[in-house]
Amino acid sequence: MSLATLDTSQHPNLPTASATLFQAKATKKLSFEQIAQHIGRNEVATAAIFYGQAKGSPEDIASLASLLEIPQPILEEQLDGFPDRGKSVEMPPKEPLIYRLYEIVQNYGYAYKAVLNEKFGDGIMSAISFSTKVEKETDADGNNWAVITLRGKWLPFSRF
Amino acid sequence: MSLATLDTSQHPNLPTASATLFQAKATKKLSFEQIAQHIGRNEVATAAIFYGQAKGSPEDIASLASLLEIPQPILEEQLDGFPDRGKSVEMPPKEPLIYRLYEIVQNYGYAYKAVLNEKFGDGIMSAISFSTKVEKETDADGNNWAVITLRGKWLPFSRF
Amino acid sequence: MSLATLDTSQHPNLPTASATLFQAKATKKLSFEQIAQHIGRNEVATAAIFYGQAKGSPEDIASLASLLEIPQPILEEQLDGFPDRGKSVEMPPKEPLIYRLYEIVQNYGYAYKAVLNEKFGDGIMSAISFSTKVEKETDADGNNWAVITLRGKWLPFSRF
Amino acid sequence: MSLATLDTSQHPNLPTASATLFQAKATKKLSFEQIAQHIGRNEVATAAIFYGQAKGSPEDIASLASLLEIPQPILEEQLDGFPDRGKSVEMPPKEPLIYRLYEIVQNYGYAYKAVLNEKFGDGIMSAISFSTKVEKETDADGNNWAVITLRGKWLPFSRF
Amino acid sequence: MSLATLDTSQHPNLPTASATLFQAKATKKLSFEQIAQHIGRNEVATAAIFYGQAKGSPEDIASLASLLEIPQPILEEQLDGFPDRGKSVEMPPKEPLIYRLYEIVQNYGYAYKAVLNEKFGDGIMSAISFSTKVEKETDADGNNWAVITLRGKWLPFSRF
Amino acid sequence: MSLATLDTSQHPNLPTASATLFQAKATKKLSFEQIAQHIGRNEVATAAIFYGQAKGSPEDIASLASLLEIPQPILEEQLDGFPDRGKSVEMPPKEPLIYRLYEIVQNYGYAYKAVLNEKFGDGIMSAISFSTKVEKETDADGNNWAVITLRGKWLPFSRF
Amino acid sequence: MSLATLDTSQHPNLPTASATLFQAKATKKLSFEQIAQHIGRNEVATAAIFYGQAKGSPEDIASLASLLEIPQPILEEQLDGFPDRGKSVEMPPKEPLIYRLYEIVQNYGYAYKAVLNEKFGDGIMSAISFSTKVEKETDADGNNWAVITLRGKWLPFSRF
Amino acid sequence: MSLATLDTSQHPNLPTASATLFQAKATKKLSFEQIAQHIGRNEVATAAIFYGQAKGSPEDIASLASLLEIPQPILEEQLDGFPDRGKSVEMPPKEPLIYRLYEIVQNYGYAYKAVLNEKFGDGIMSAISFSTKVEKETDADGNNWAVITLRGKWLPFSRF
Amino acid sequence: MSLATLDTSQHPNLPTASATLFQAKATKKLSFEQIAQHIGRNEVATAAIFYGQAKGSPEDIASLASLLEIPQPILEEQLDGFPDRGKSVEMPPKEPLIYRLYEIVQNYGYAYKAVLNEKFGDGIMSAISFSTKVEKETDADGNNWAVITLRGKWLPFSRF
Amino acid sequence: MSLATLDTSQHPNLPTASATLFQAKATKKLSFEQIAQHIGRNEVATAAIFYGQAKGSPEDIASLASLLEIPQPILEEQLDGFPDRGKSVEMPPKEPLIYRLYEIVQNYGYAYKAVLNEKFGDGIMSAISFSTKVEKETDADGNNWAVITLRGKWLPFSRF
């Protein structure tokens, strides 16, 4: 089985930590599932730390440093600040897998809005008070299905 | 409770059927939940038909015409063709609720890709052999949470 | 003193209610300050209702209908749904007054982020659990100063 | 508590001074609040100097050099010119925190304009004769609120 | 079986002939396959005439007028000029089916170029001295496959 | 005859493997036809591997390493991950050969959609369960014609 | 001599007053020079009122109504609000005359900035506390030269 | 007083000569006014040479080399070709000072066109047979005003 | 032979005169060659008048009115002002014929610049003091060739 | 007289050969006219080879290597592949000289199309089976005129 890797020449704007983490992951031949289990976080959140899209706690950093055999002070320094999110995917996404997710928003965006507004009132589903997960299902015919769950707090617009 | 409506001056590129359907929905004061139940489809799919983003079967059309008291031949004519999808949301979305979904793709896009690739191999989650649903959860503190599930068939890239 | 008006040929994508409300406002020669006082909301929120960017409660609608002498059922019908926000300002804004606000975000965006992150941790200031107001100050030299206050709930990124 | 840092691979177009200042800030483990207090300026203005978006006076530079233990001639040379503003945030912003500010302009832009025009007449709020500040409030329920104040001189359009 | 139709509110920039032709096609309940057979042209070329992307000869026009029961002088007048091609698809295409074709160009563009250059030398495959067709195949498992063939004259770059 | 080469200064975002592969190809003076034959894949797929747009199996990598005399561990490391597709062609394409393909989508997109929908129903031709090939024909007058075949599985939209 | 006119089909987003004013101007066969003289304002400011880019005072409106024989209440109603500036020129400008002005900014922008900063310090030339005029010069060889003068108040960036 | 400097990390696309010239200017602590006086050209033109937007004559180059103590052959080589104009300002400009100039074009573009057309006929003001200057005025209240003059030859459209 | 026509639904931003002229041209069944001969101007210039891209003199207008049997006062009114050029082609052009011209600029732009600079010095070829023509050649093999000539006055950059 | 040179920091995406060729041209002080004469090709084509927009034959390469004293194997290696055209001019062009050509297409595009269609029928002028040249004319008043000729094969759209 192949593992996700990072070719920095394709991602010049990711943080320095991304190169450090992905290189160690490749050397240790670990999957995100294994790393996530080790640090006690969800796989998607773990991968998001690798892409500079989520913040690791001090414990996460210590745990990653130990698992990936990266000198802890180096990882701490590289992960110490606050993620500068949004620099990994160029929109509209050209990557086919990511485009499909974008297309779902493009096609069903107003349908989601209509249904959510009728269920919850005027507001939004938070993308910050938010978690997500990926699951794999196999049906009776042996076909695989990917299931992505998005769970966000409902925030009503304030009245002022 | 308010219901989702359509102001055609804000959506000049939606199909004629959208105006017909939304106007009847407003007159009948029906929610998408009620309409979906009546035609036996998911709420999001039902709303997607209203926005011209999903195709109704002949039975769906008959059922909608009856529930919404729209002359069936008119609805048939307006819904007869194939949806010309993608004309409802202007990207990047300016609507705050839809933007949050877009932002999830922007921020977590590569994390999803990495996790999906490691779980399934080289391929994509289909947005066509695909279904989605919206659920409402209320936690112990009385906070509401929106849960959106995306379920798509895994398509491996063909070897050729 | 002049009052803010709406020329619909310059704003073809605003909701029907915008034309109704602005026309009545012009006829009644009322300022947003006067209207806001009448319905018990902030001026900016009141103007946002006029531009289709905020939702009026049933009481707001009744109150507006009465003040502006618009038949209440008409206003209810036009304001019944959920605002389809984001269709008033074309970005980047070409209007000089609005551009100055955009420029503040462009120039000070990362400075705000750095200061907010250090004060609150990893998260965002909500634009939904949010209120804003505009005030006028006159200094000793007789110069006028506009003061805009933005107040949003701090949302920390969820750990998952 | 974490401090704001700068990963230059994510900001290739910031001035050389940004790297110098942020690196020293990280080494000295100082917050913008502490630095601002030391040089007698507002936190946001201080961070703006770090991002190349505001000019430091000769006294500011001397004070920063001393606090951050940067050789003064080096800092003087790097900060001597006039800021080339606007190169830090790519618009529309992809960073979630900065996007929320952008969204406020997008959604409330015309409401601000209408209210300001009615209060002040035909003109703009200056973004140059301008100051801003960030404050933290905690409400009775323990929720934190960020308060951003924008204060700009009102400039009426000249009659000519 | 459903037939392709045209909702002009979704395609405001198509020529007048498009509305005329599609409306008649809907009334006569004819597929492009049937129309193409009648006028002796390929299905894709026939549909391209309907979308204003290909020119009909005088014989094609006479034949279409007769089959679709459109007064011939009207159709002649509407189809007399030269197609103003390129106004049907907005790029990048938002329609999922058309996007897949666009994605093929995006992903395989340089691979096609490399292979074509090695086979033919320095030049291009003409999109003008060009024909295309669509075929349907069904494999042993009952899956349907769409086969699109593009055939264009090879044009070497002139030496000058 | 000239061979396709890669000038990395023109393609800064291709993966490291692209430089490795193209350099070896140039040294060995091999065409994609020859390489494809050796590894038992189609020419276009082979070139797509070189451009980082398709994944090579472990056997492909071993075979390429041997043919091109690249140390196998190096090639394995560079090709181990999952292709980050979509980074080779900037859209709209400026390269004349690739633009012609783009133009075909732009001009015939809706014609293809109409014909495919009538032949197959509501759905798309997959670009993932997909293969393509390039052929050369020479007509009686000695003119060369390029024939590109696109073959994709038909995916009907799921009903939900 | 020809006079400047307005073809509203080319300027769908100008305010209603633009059509009213330009139509009356054409009927009365008046140049902007004549109109400007009548209302006591600069020609460019006068034309800017016609294009909805500047505000007329109550006296200007009365004077325009009288000169152009437009019923004063109609003109007052159409010009009563605050200009929604920025909707006349689409940027980058396609009109050759306007493009030349844009090109001057594009080519000399940083040269202006450098010279202005050295002369005035850190700040901007206001485009609000601003006036402009157009003059015609004829040199000894009979060549005509256009001279445009821009005069704006210098605003230093506030220290905060 | 501060002098204009160049931080090449903020201007990666300027010619090599820009770095050479600005570095020498910083070392010699010379203003554009002083340099312009020395070479006998206008300040704006002088700054434009530094930004690669204007061509220096052989005499200008010799004079600059001497004043700035740059080896003449180096400066000759770097300035020998023809300026590749337009690479300094990214449009729309994000720099506040340059944006104000852009905004003047955006807001007054059609007013300038109307007035110029009425004064000169159908044509344009040349940006090539063109000169410009910057002046400083101080009014009775001690306020500074920047005056920019644009002077271009009038070119009538040829009749053909 | 077919004649060029105008479908205004495809060109909503052309001036009113375009519809008037093209409709009369269609009725009179005249080619641009015939019309150009009648008014004594070049074919391209004549077509440019029809598309609102060139100005007709009073004599041209009278001559066109007479030839096309359009009431002269109507044509005078519609053609009286100054062309608002640049509104016919949307860039990048989607029309294949026009795209080819655009591609020539894209591919040979710098080559033209280099050759022109070496032949004429630092300057530009005017597009205003400019004429153009189209010719048809047929070679020995019966192939047709289009020859477009562009002739513009050379304008050297002013020294200032 | 100055010669055209290349500053690679302004053209980071040109092929390696461009730097090699332009540097040798500068050293040898040769104009494109001289080089073109030597290799027996047109000046524009010669410059296009330098910018990576045209392919040199093996004889051209040998001849260039000899004239410019570049080791032939190096030049062969750098020019061996197929040009990756379209990477020199960023569209819309910011360079004033190239913009004028772009503007000609923008303004006269539909006029060319109308005239060409009427002269040749439905088709395009090829930009591949194409040659171009630049000439200098001096009129009786001593004014210089640039004449650019575009000559392309007429390709009628295939009937299929």
Side-chain angles (χ1 to χ4, degrees), chain D residues 12-16 55 80-81 83-87 89, chain H residues 2-5 7 9-12 94-96 100 108:
Chain D
N13 290 326
L14 289 187
T16 314
K55 187 158 172 54
D80 186 46
D84 193 355
R85 290 168 171 91
K87 287 190 183 287
V89 183
Chain H
S2 294
L3 295 175
T5 57
D7 195 324
S9 73
Q10 297 200 284
H11 285 281
K94 302 179 102 182
E95 223 293 324
R100 299 305 180 275
Y108 297 101

Side-chain angles (χ1 to χ4, degrees), chain D residues 24 28 63-72:
Chain D
K28 306 289 291 185
S63 184
L64 283 169
S66 143
L67 177 68
L68 297 166
E69 294 187 47
I70 302 167
Q72 190 166 331

Side-chain angles (χ1 to χ4, degrees), chain A residues 1-12 23 26 29 88 90 94-98 100 103 107-108 145, chain F residues 12-17 52 55 77-78 80-91 127-128 157-158 160:
Chain A
M1 198 201 73
S2 292
L3 295 174
T5 58
L6 179 72
D7 195 324
T8 52
S9 71
Q10 298 201 284
H11 286 280
Q23 197 156 343
K29 294 193 191 305
S88 57
E90 196 185 344
K94 303 179 103 182
E95 224 292 325
L97 182 148
I98 301 174
R100 297 309 179 273
E103 189 178 79
N107 288 3
Y108 296 101
W145 294 78
Chain F
N13 291 326
L14 289 188
T16 313
K55 187 159 172 54
E77 188 196 326
Q78 291 182 353
D80 186 46
F82 299 94
D84 192 355
R85 291 168 172 91
K87 288 190 182 285
S88 56
V89 182
E90 196 186 344
M91 302 294 263
I128 311 295
F157 277 94
S158 298
F160 64 97

Side-chain angles (χ1 to χ4, degrees), chain H:
Chain H
M1 199 200 75
S2 294
L3 295 175
T5 57
L6 178 72
D7 195 324
T8 51
S9 73
Q10 297 200 284
H11 285 281
N13 291 326
L14 290 187
T16 313
S18 296
T20 307
L21 289 165
F22 268 103
Q23 197 158 344
K25 176 179 183 295
T27 304
K28 306 289 290 185
K29 294 193 191 307
L30 291 166
S31 70
F32 278 118
E33 195 180 3
Q34 293 168 313
I35 300 170
Q37 221 158 18
H38 182 85
I39 65 169
R41 295 192 66 169
N42 177 282
E43 277 172 282
V44 181
T46 304
I49 293 173
F50 275 59
Y51 282 105
Q53 304 297 315
K55 187 160 172 53
S57 67
E59 294 72 30
D60 295 342
I61 297 173
S63 184
L64 283 169
S66 142
L67 177 67
L68 297 167
E69 293 187 48
I70 302 168
Q72 190 166 330
I74 285 179
L75 202 58
E76 274 169 356
E77 189 196 326
Q78 291 182 355
L79 288 177
D80 187 46
F82 299 94
D84 193 355
R85 290 169 172 91
K87 287 189 183 286
S88 57
V89 183
E90 196 186 343
M91 301 295 264
K94 302 179 102 182
E95 223 293 324
L97 183 148
I98 302 175
Y99 184 82
R100 299 305 180 275
L101 301 175
Y102 173 91
E103 190 178 79
I104 291 166
V105 176
Q106 188 173 255
N107 287 4
Y108 297 101
Y110 272 105
Y112 285 131
K113 175 174 159 60
V115 169
L116 286 164
N117 280 164
E118 292 195 346
K119 274 192 176 353
F120 293 86
D122 189 32
I124 60 145
M125 181 185 90
S126 180
I128 310 296
S129 295
F130 168 82
S131 66
T132 184
K133 65 180 172 189
V134 165
E135 287 159 312
K136 181 176 185 172
E137 294 180 2
T138 307
D139 66 19
D141 300 332
N143 296 311
N144 289 324
W145 294 79
V147 182
I148 297 177
T149 311
L150 316 173
R151 185 175 185 273
K153 197 174 188 175
W154 185 259
L155 301 182
F157 277 95
S158 298
R159 179 181 170 86
F160 64 96

